């Protein structure tokens, strides 16, 4: 009976946590199912028959399909397994207790597993400890950097006080710009008027010169047309110049010539001015008639190339091939930037050469121009300074808006980039900026997302970064990247993948995410049960 009593005692304690056994399983009292559904004699506990719907009466047998068996696993971590695995010939518990009646040759491996786990925990704790120490350094450097930036007149990053100071200086600059604008406009008005007077005088001078030149040319042509030197130009003499034919039909008639002559048969020098006005655009001087026309030489035949690009010289590219380059030019060019066609430019240059160069400004006009130019230069300089301040404010506001962590421990990642090269691509992570992908052997870069937000769980929000609104996929969404941060001594991208189409996952190690490790001595024996 003693042996039977001992065997029964061992039987019903199997599969239970010690604390649960003491609270609900008392040998000398009836057993109530843990779900409260019924009460049974205690000898029906672990009798290999399922009496309770929740399976709580058979913690040590496989009788109940929904039961669970507790592996004590002394020296390692306790565990629960489904009751269906009890005595199935497979060792699930490292202490072999799940195969107490199957005959399976199980070895107790709990001590070895516990030792290996403790070694791994020690290793991970050391990494966490070193990472946490680096994190503290990062926090210290971030704080020191913030203090330094408050003292220096340069480098305003992460300094709200300096941002306020810059914004105040911007107001002063804006006022200065407006004041200089007024000075500039005031100086430009007399400059404009003086230049206008000078230009008007020059135009009048050129008009007189053109008129004298035209008069001389008219006299020259009269003498050319007066073949018989009788002091008159007749219709017959005008007919010798077929280029004057009004309708260019190769038949210059007397009637057409007489129309050009103003209805007269002949005109004297005083009346020739009206005729000259009718013919001067077409008239070809006889003095140029002896100049031989350029002879066209036969061009050698050029073999046709199979390559289409050979058909066009380097300086004679078809318009279609230049369209892309033209689109890149600034569409808002000032009208003054319009380029005159070469033929027009040549004609204008010839006219300018004939008429001479514009005389220099008088001293009074030059003084006004110099004063206006000085005002323009000062205004441009102030405007440039204002633009620089605007850019500085914009960058500061952008950086200040970033959440670098409770102690600014992630601040060191800002303006840095980290790369990972795979067999096909080079991935580039620039924290708080963007993620990109570029083919390893050449090709354009693809934006995998720009900085969005921290998106870790509520209790560890700084463990995940989200980058959004990257380059759109073909008939798909815009690319985005999730960056998972893990504790480590280095700062490095360790892996990338694309779990879903256009959605990328990146693993990133940084000491900034390390937490202070728990006390190793208290944790080593926490799960050991004797």
């Amino acid at each position: 009976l003693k042996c039977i009593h001992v065997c029964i005692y061992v039987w019903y304690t199997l599969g239970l946590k010690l604390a649960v056994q003491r609270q609900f399983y008392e040998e000398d009292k009836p057993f109530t199912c843990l779900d409260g559904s019924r009460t049974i004699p205690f000898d029906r506990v672990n009798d290999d028959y399922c009496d309770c719907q929740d399976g709580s009466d058979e913690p040590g047998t496989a009788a109940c399909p929904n039961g669970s068996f507790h592996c004590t696993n002394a020296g390692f971590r306790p565990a629960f397994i489904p009751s269906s695995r009890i005595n199935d010939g497979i060792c699930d518990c490292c202490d072999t207790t799940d195969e107490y009646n199957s005959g399976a040759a199980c070895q107790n491996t709990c001590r070895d597993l516990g030792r290996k786990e403790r070694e791994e925990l020690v290793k991970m704790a050391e990494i966490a400890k070193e990472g946490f120490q680096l994190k503290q350094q990062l926090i210290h450097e971030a704080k020191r950097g913030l203090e330094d930036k408050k003292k220096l007149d340069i480098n305003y990053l992460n300094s709200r006080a300096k941002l306020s100071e810059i914004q105040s200086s911007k107001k002063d600059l804006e006022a200065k710009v407006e004041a200089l604008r007024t000075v500039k406009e005031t100086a430009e008005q007399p400059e404009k008027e003086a230049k206008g007077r000078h230009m008007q005088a020059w135009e009048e001078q050129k008009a007189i010169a053109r008129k004298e030149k035209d008069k001389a040319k008219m006299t020259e042509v009269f003498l050319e047309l007066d073949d018989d030197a009788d002091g008159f130009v007749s219709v017959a003499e005008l007919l010798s110049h077929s280029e004057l034919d009004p309708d260019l039909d190769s038949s210059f008639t007397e009637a057409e010539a007489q129309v050009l002559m103003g209805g007269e048969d002949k005109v004297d020098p005083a009346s020739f001015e009206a005729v000259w006005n009718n013919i001067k655009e077409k008239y070809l001087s006889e003095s140029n008639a002896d100049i031989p026309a350029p002879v066209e030489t036969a061009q050698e035949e050029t073999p046709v190339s199979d390559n289409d690009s050979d058909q066009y010289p380097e300086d004679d590219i078809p318009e279609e091939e230049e369209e892309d380059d033209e689109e890149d030019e600034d569409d808002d060019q000032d009208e003054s930037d319009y380029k005159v066609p070469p033929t027009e430019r040549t004609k204008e240059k010839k006219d300018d050469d004939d008429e001479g160069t514009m005389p220099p400004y008088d001293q009074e006009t030059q003084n006004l121009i110099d004063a206006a130019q000085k005002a323009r230069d000062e205004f441009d300089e102030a405007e440039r300074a204002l633009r620089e301040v605007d850019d500085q404010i914009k960058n500061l506001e952008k950086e200040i808006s970033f959440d670098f962590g409770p102690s600014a421990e992630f601040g060191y990642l800002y303006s840095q980039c980290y790369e990972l090269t795979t067999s096909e691509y080079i991935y580039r992570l620039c924290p708080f900026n963007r993620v990109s992908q570029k083919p390893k052997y050449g090709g354009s870069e693809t934006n995998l997302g720009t900085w969005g937000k921290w998106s870790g769980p509520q209790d560890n929000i700084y463990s995940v970064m989200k980058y959004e609104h990257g380059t759109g996929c073909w008939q798909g969404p815009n690319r985005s990247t999730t960056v998972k941060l893990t504790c480590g001594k280095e700062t490095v991208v360790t892996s990338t993948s694309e779990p879903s189409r256009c959605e990328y996952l990146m693993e990133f190690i940084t000491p900034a995410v390390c937490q202070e490790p728990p006390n190793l001595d208290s944790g080593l024996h926490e799960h050991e049960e004797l």
Side-chain angles (χ1 to χ4, degrees):
L1 291 175
K2 183 178 181 181
C3 176
I4 293 174
H5 177 76
V6 172
C7 290
I8 291 174
Y9 179 80
V10 174
W11 176 270
Y12 74 74
T13 57
L14 283 174
L16 289 175
K17 288 184 68 172
L18 186 60
V20 175
Q21 177 181 322
R22 288 173 177 171
Q23 184 175 359
F24 299 105
Y25 294 81
E26 297 184 44
E27 182 182 2
D28 56 348
K29 294 181 180 179
F31 174 73
T32 300
C33 301
L34 296 184
D35 62 1
S37 58
R38 62 185 300 189
T39 300
I40 58 174
F42 195 83
D43 59 5
R44 289 167 65 175
V45 174
N46 276 343
D47 65 349
D48 206 20
Y49 183 84
C50 191
D51 297 291
C52 298
Q53 293 180 357
D54 62 358
S56 57
D57 65 312
E58 299 297 320
T61 74
C64 297
N66 57 341
S68 60
F69 181 85
H70 180 258
C71 304
T72 302
N73 293 342
F76 188 50
R77 286 181 285 104
F80 282 95
I81 62 172
S83 294
S84 59
R85 297 184 184 178
I86 299 173
N87 291 322
D88 62 353
I90 300 175
C91 304
D92 296 291
C93 301
C94 66
D95 62 1
T96 76
T97 52
D98 61 312
E99 299 300 320
Y100 62 87
N101 198 31
S102 70
C106 297
Q107 297 291 326
N108 190 324
T109 58
C110 289
R111 297 288 178 184
D112 289 338
L113 291 174
R115 176 178 54 78
K116 290 178 181 178
E117 183 182 57
R118 286 190 291 276
E119 289 174 355
E120 187 64 26
L121 286 172
V122 169
K123 182 179 178 181
M124 291 175 63
E126 286 299 323
I127 292 175
K129 182 179 179 181
E130 291 183 38
F132 184 72
Q133 290 172 348
L134 289 172
K135 177 181 179 178
Q136 296 304 111
Q137 292 178 15
L138 293 173
I139 293 173
H140 175 71
E141 290 172 4
K143 290 180 178 178
R144 186 177 61 188
L146 288 172
E147 291 299 321
D148 291 342
K149 289 166 188 174
K150 290 177 182 178
K151 297 175 183 177
L152 296 175
D153 291 331
I154 59 174
N155 198 349
Y156 301 102
L157 299 178
N158 289 334
S159 175
R160 293 183 181 277
K162 285 299 178 184
L163 176 59
S164 176
E165 181 180 330
I166 295 174
Q167 289 171 331
S168 176
S169 69
K170 177 186 175 182
K171 292 179 181 179
D172 295 338
L173 272 173
E174 287 174 335
K176 181 179 179 181
V177 166
E178 290 307 312
L180 288 174
R181 189 194 305 279
T182 302
V183 172
K184 178 178 78 75
E185 292 173 352
T186 302
E188 284 176 338
Q189 185 59 35
E191 176 201 36
K192 181 179 179 182
E193 293 172 356
K195 276 186 171 182
R197 290 191 297 270
H198 183 87
M199 186 59 68
Q200 183 179 0
W202 171 233
E203 289 298 332
E204 290 172 355
Q205 183 179 337
K206 287 195 297 182
I208 294 171
R210 282 194 297 268
K211 188 173 182 180
E212 291 296 326
K213 183 179 177 182
D214 187 67
K215 186 176 180 181
K217 182 67 176 176
M218 180 183 69
T219 302
E220 178 186 340
V221 170
F222 182 89
L223 295 174
E224 283 183 359
L225 289 172
D226 186 12
D227 292 333
D228 56 7
D230 64 349
F232 292 92
V233 173
S234 65
V235 170
E237 288 171 330
L238 197 64
L239 284 172
S240 64
H241 283 263
S242 58
E243 76 273 8
L244 299 178
D245 182 8
D247 51 17
L248 299 175
D249 59 357
S250 301
S251 177
F252 189 21
T253 65
E254 287 188 15
E256 291 173 332
Q258 196 160 26
V259 170
L260 294 176
M261 296 279 287
E264 301 292 336
D265 291 331
K266 60 181 181 178
V267 293
D268 59 12
S271 305
F272 184 68
E273 183 175 359
V275 178
W276 172 240
N277 290 333
N278 290 334
I279 68 173
K280 63 183 176 181
E281 296 298 328
K282 292 185 177 182
Y283 182 82
L284 295 178
S285 177
E286 294 175 3
S287 61
N288 296 331
D290 297 333
I291 300 175
V295 179
E296 293 187 6
T297 57
Q299 296 183 353
E300 296 181 4
E301 289 189 8
T302 304
V304 178
S305 168
D306 292 335
N307 189 343
D308 292 342
S309 63
D310 293 342
Q311 297 178 15
Y312 304 107
E314 246 179 55
D315 298 330
D316 191 19
I317 300 172
E319 292 182 1
E320 291 81 356
E321 296 182 8
E322 295 179 348
E323 286 178 358
D324 291 342
D325 295 335
E326 292 173 358
E327 288 176 2
D328 294 336
E329 296 178 359
D330 188 358
D331 294 334
D332 300 326
Q333 290 182 346
D334 191 88
E335 290 182 3
S336 62
D337 295 335
Y338 168 74
K339 295 183 179 179
V340 181
T343 53
E344 294 182 24
R345 193 160 54 236
T346 303
K347 184 176 182 300
E348 288 176 4
K349 187 176 187 303
K350 184 176 182 302
D351 291 342
D352 289 342
D353 291 342
D354 292 343
E355 295 169 356
T357 57
M358 183 176 71
Y361 296 111
D362 59 68
Q363 191 59 49
E364 182 181 357
T365 301
Q366 189 60 52
N367 290 341
L368 292 172
I369 292 173
D370 293 342
Q373 188 58 49
K374 181 181 178 183
R376 278 191 291 269
D377 292 342
E378 291 177 351
F379 172 77
D380 291 342
E381 178 64 22
E383 224 179 19
R384 183 192 60 77
L386 181 59
R387 284 196 300 270
E388 288 180 356
V389 167
D390 277 334
D391 291 341
Q392 199 173 36
I393 289 174
K394 187 184 297 181
N395 292 334
L396 274 168
E397 288 177 338
K398 181 179 178 182
E399 185 173 346
I400 287 175
S401 69
F402 289 135
D403 179 1
F404 289 134
S407 302
E409 60 268 33
F410 295 97
Y412 84 102
L413 298 174
Y414 184 74
S415 75
Q416 301 295 318
C417 292
Y418 305 89
E419 291 186 350
L420 174 68
T421 301
T422 65
S423 59
E424 294 184 69
Y425 297 101
I426 299 173
Y427 292 90
R428 185 177 177 87
L429 167 64
C430 301
F432 305 103
N433 188 359
R434 68 198 295 262
V435 181
S436 63
Q437 173 196 66
K438 187 174 183 180
K440 187 175 180 180
Y441 300 105
S444 59
E445 186 177 75
T446 301
N447 182 1
L448 302 185
T450 55
W451 168 249
K453 59 185 177 182
W454 292 104
S455 59
Q458 190 172 1
D459 59 342
N460 192 17
I461 193 171
Y462 297 105
S463 63
V464 179
M465 288 176 162
K466 189 69 175 179
Y467 293 79
E468 305 165 314
H469 309 301
T471 304
C473 286
W474 173 250
Q475 294 184 339
N478 284 38
R479 289 174 172 83
S480 62
T481 301
T482 298
V483 180
K484 290 188 176 180
L485 281 64
T486 54
C487 171
K489 296 182 287 184
E490 299 178 308
T491 303
V492 61
V493 178
T494 57
S495 69
T496 60
S497 59
E498 190 177 0
S500 301
R501 182 170 179 254
C502 306
E503 295 180 2
Y504 298 81
L505 176 64
M506 186 172 280
E507 301 284 346
F508 185 54
I509 291 178
T510 169
V513 80
C514 293
Q515 302 298 323
E516 185 173 11
N519 189 303
L520 293 178
D521 294 333
S522 63
L524 287 177
H525 306 289
E526 182 179 350
H527 297 297
E528 290 191 19
E529 296 186 21
L530 301 178

